[in-house]
């Protein structure tokens, strides 16, 4: 929302009211009605406009609900029967066109899709997207009936709910009656998120003080790292990561955040510190203390950071090896990659690597097994012999491990 405020301005947000869907009548929405929606939406946005040509095209009941070709957005009969879905689809494409024409930012395809779903929420049209995040389809062939459910929007119901909560909070609405029009999968998270916003005031998007800057200089980023808001801290560290570097005086602030109460803040502080080529011992030691963090993603990120920073050919000084047997496969993978990078020579590690390798092979997780095998080979010159000995009671696993080891050797 802050990014949209920077590109569009807060005036459009402040002047926007929530747009309510009509009660279902069973009559399909017409293309003429959709053109009225297009006009109203562009009136809110202002700036350069590139209206889409809208048309209606009959299609098969199981075919696509719409298609975009040569600047013409065609709606199928099935999509027009659901007016909220048709309007949400139209708003997404209108937003995409407007963002490309009016914003100087270079959007990646994923970013453009994401913000094209979020822009209608910013202007009060969020209910339409929130109520149409999935679609169902059924058809019958003879005695057999097929039923399918699939994702329909880019944002999830929970993301739409948070965007709508920010909209209500930014407009001073504590108990908006319009939330009853939301589907249950958006209504429940909306209630919880709006309550959270009013209780904590914790949001990077602050309508009363939002800045029109998209990027911040180092001094501003440094100040924001002292914030008590988790949202501001996380957004600030994302900005640092986008820059790909940080100034030396950021180290102490980022290190302090390693013990923040919010696991998301701890996770992002580890990712930010990983940008540094070297770190002081105190920072590495604090990062190492997170190897036993309750959060899976924090443990994995701590292992990754240590694998990047710890010098090669040293012992497993910080105890990354105990994560090889972690119940979370992502953590075990991060541990294996870290061990392969600093190449320790430790019998404790060898035993854990073999145990983890056996579990990965039994679970048919060959990607993890390959990473473990790579780490094991890096710590042992006689890796093949030790593999044979460890798996001698299980010839099938022994053969799999040896073949995998040969493949890893051939790739080097």
């Amino acid at each position: 929302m802050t990014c949209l405020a920077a590109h569009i301005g807060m005036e459009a947000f402040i002047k926007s009211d929530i747009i309510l869907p009509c009660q279902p009548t069973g009559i399909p929405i017409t293309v003429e009605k959709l053109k009225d929606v297009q006009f109203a939406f562009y009136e809110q946005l202002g700036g350069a406009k590139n209206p889409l040509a809208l048309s209606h095209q009959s299609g098969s009941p199981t075919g696509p609900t719409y298609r975009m070709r040569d600047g013409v957005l065609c709606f199928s009969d099935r999509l027009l029967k659901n007016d909220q879905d048709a309007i949400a689809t139209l708003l997404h494409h209108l937003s995409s066109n407007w963002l490309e024409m009016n914003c100087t930012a270079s959007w990646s395809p994923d970013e453009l899709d994401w913000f094209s779903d979020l822009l209608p929420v910013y202007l009060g049209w969020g209910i339409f997207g929130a109520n149409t995040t999935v679609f169902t389809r059924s058809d019958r062939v003879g005695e057999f009936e097929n039923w399918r459910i699939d994702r329909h929007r880019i944002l999830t119901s929970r993301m739409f709910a948070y965007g709508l909560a920010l909209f209500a909070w930014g407009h001073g609405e504590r108990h908006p009656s319009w939330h009853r029009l939301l589907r249950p999968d958006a209504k429940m998270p909306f209630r919880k998120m709006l309550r959270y916003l009013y209780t904590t005031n914790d949001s990077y998007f602050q309508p009363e003080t939002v800045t029109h800057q998209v990027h911040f200089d180092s001094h501003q980023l440094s100040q924001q790292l002292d914030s008590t808001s988790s949202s501001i801290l996380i957004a600030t560290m994302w900005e640092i990561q986008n820059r790909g570097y940080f100034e030396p005086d950021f180290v102490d602030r980022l290190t302090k955040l390693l013990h923040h109460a919010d696991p998301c803040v701890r996770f992002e502080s580890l990712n930010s510190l990983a940008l540094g080529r070297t770190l002081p011992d105190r920072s590495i030691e604090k990062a190492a203390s997170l190897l036993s963090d309750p959060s899976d993603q924090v443990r994995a990120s701590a292992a990754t950071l240590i694998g990047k920073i710890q010098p090669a050919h040293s012992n497993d000084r910080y105890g990354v090896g105990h994560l090889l047997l972690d119940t979370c496969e992502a953590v075990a993978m991060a541990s294996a990659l870290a061990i392969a990078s600093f190449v320790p020579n430790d019998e404790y590690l060898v035993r854990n690597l073999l145990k983890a390798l056996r579990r990965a092979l039994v679970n048919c997780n060959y990607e993890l097994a390959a990473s473990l095998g790579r780490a094991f080979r890096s710590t042992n010159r006689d890796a093949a012999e030790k593999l044979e000995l460890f798996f001698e009671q299980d010839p099938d696993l022994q053969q799999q491990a040896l073949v995998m080891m040969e493949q890893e050797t051939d790739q080097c």
Side-chain angles (χ1 to χ4, degrees):
M1 294 289 247
T2 303
C3 182
L4 290 175
H7 286 296
I8 299 170
M10 278 304 300
E11 186 177 358
F13 176 84
I14 293 169
K15 289 184 175 180
S16 296
D17 291 322
I18 197 73
I19 309 297
L20 305 179
C22 298
Q23 292 296 325
T25 62
I27 301 174
I29 191 171
T30 64
V31 171
E32 286 68 29
K33 288 287 187 182
L34 292 175
K35 289 179 180 178
D36 291 340
V37 171
Q38 177 174 226
F39 176 79
F41 189 66
Y42 274 144
E43 281 294 300
Q44 286 182 270
L45 279 170
K49 302 175 178 65
N50 182 24
L52 293 176
L54 309 180
S55 71
H56 164 227
Q57 179 176 335
S58 299
S60 79
T62 59
T65 56
Y66 72 91
R67 66 180 179 83
M68 182 75 178
R69 183 180 298 174
D70 300 327
V72 180
L73 183 58
C74 299
F75 294 84
S76 71
D77 293 321
R78 183 156 53 91
L79 183 55
L80 293 174
K81 289 179 181 178
N82 185 334
D83 58 345
Q84 292 194 54
D85 201 351
I87 290 173
T89 300
L90 171 63
L91 294 175
H92 176 90
H93 287 280
L94 295 177
S95 299
S96 180
N97 280 4
W98 192 92
L99 290 169
E100 287 189 297
M101 290 185 65
N102 292 274
C103 297
T104 56
S106 56
W107 308 95
S108 71
D110 288 342
E111 287 175 330
L112 184 60
D113 268 345
W114 203 90
F115 281 108
S116 295
D117 261 5
L118 186 61
L119 177 52
V121 181
Y122 186 80
L123 296 177
W125 299 79
I127 293 177
F128 296 89
N131 285 345
T132 57
T133 53
V134 296
F135 76 90
T136 59
R137 183 169 65 199
S138 63
D139 57 89
R140 177 179 291 275
V141 180
E143 296 181 357
F144 298 96
E145 184 174 2
N146 299 316
W147 183 75
R148 179 185 176 193
I149 184 169
D150 205 352
R151 183 174 176 176
H152 201 30
R153 309 257 81 87
I154 303 302
L155 300 184
T156 64
S157 300
R158 290 181 62 83
M159 291 178 178
F160 273 111
Y162 183 56
L164 284 165
L166 286 172
F167 184 90
W169 179 65
H171 286 82
E173 298 183 78
R174 283 185 174 270
H175 306 287
S177 59
W178 50 259
H179 90 282
R180 298 189 184 94
L181 298 175
L182 292 170
R183 265 187 356 193
D185 55 329
K187 184 189 301 182
M188 295 304 294
F190 169 83
R191 288 175 176 169
K192 293 179 180 179
M193 292 168 182
L194 184 59
R195 190 184 310 122
Y196 173 82
L197 287 169
Y198 271 107
T199 301
T200 66
N201 201 41
D202 180 15
S203 172
Y204 192 57
F205 178 63
Q206 296 285 340
E208 295 181 358
T209 59
V210 69
T211 175
H212 285 241
Q213 289 179 274
V214 178
H215 298 293
F216 298 92
D217 61 30
S218 297
H219 177 68
Q220 291 167 314
L221 291 174
S222 179
Q223 287 183 322
Q224 290 181 179
L225 287 175
D226 293 329
S227 173
T228 57
S229 164
S230 295
S231 299
I232 291 176
L233 290 172
I234 291 169
T236 302
M237 288 186 281
W238 284 347
E239 178 65 23
I240 291 171
Q241 292 162 33
N242 286 335
R243 296 170 77 193
Y245 68 94
F246 57 79
E247 281 68 17
D249 61 338
F250 281 28
V251 172
D252 288 340
R253 287 181 167 86
L254 291 170
T255 300
K256 182 179 177 181
L257 295 177
L258 290 174
H259 288 162
H260 195 277
D262 190 330
C264 294
V265 173
R266 300 197 296 273
F267 173 68
E268 296 300 345
S269 61
L270 287 164
N271 294 340
S272 299
L273 284 169
L275 298 173
R277 293 184 178 180
T278 59
L279 292 175
D281 288 344
R282 66 181 182 280
S283 296
I284 303 177
E285 288 170 1
K286 285 193 175 182
S289 69
L290 298 180
L291 292 172
S292 56
D293 193 89
S295 166
D296 293 343
Q297 65 175 6
V298 171
R299 294 198 304 280
S301 189
T304 300
L305 173 62
I306 292 171
K308 180 179 182 296
I309 298 298
Q310 184 165 318
H313 305 295
S314 65
N315 294 325
D316 182 16
R317 176 180 174 184
Y318 298 105
V320 176
H322 81 275
L323 294 183
L324 290 167
L325 301 177
D326 198 280
T327 55
C328 175
E329 292 181 347
V331 176
M333 174 77 79
S335 176
L337 294 174
I339 289 166
S341 68
F342 61 78
V343 200
N345 184 11
D346 189 322
E347 285 301 316
Y348 167 76
L349 275 182
V350 170
R351 290 194 300 273
N352 274 9
L353 281 166
L354 289 171
K355 291 176 183 178
L357 178 57
R358 178 182 351 194
R359 185 171 66 182
L361 291 173
V362 169
N363 293 335
C364 299
N365 188 338
Y366 299 114
E367 182 182 4
L368 175 58
S371 297
L372 291 164
R374 198 176 303 120
F376 180 68
R377 182 173 49 78
S378 71
T379 63
N380 287 272
R381 294 182 179 179
D382 55 347
E385 294 179 11
K386 289 191 174 182
L387 275 180
E388 288 186 10
L389 181 62
F390 183 79
F391 288 105
E392 64 180 350
Q393 302 299 323
D394 196 327
D396 290 338
L397 289 182
Q398 182 187 69
Q399 183 63 25
Q400 290 183 50
L402 290 172
V403 168
M404 181 198 63
M405 190 66 67
E406 290 175 4
Q407 291 174 344
E408 288 296 318
T409 303
D410 291 342
Q411 292 175 7
C412 294

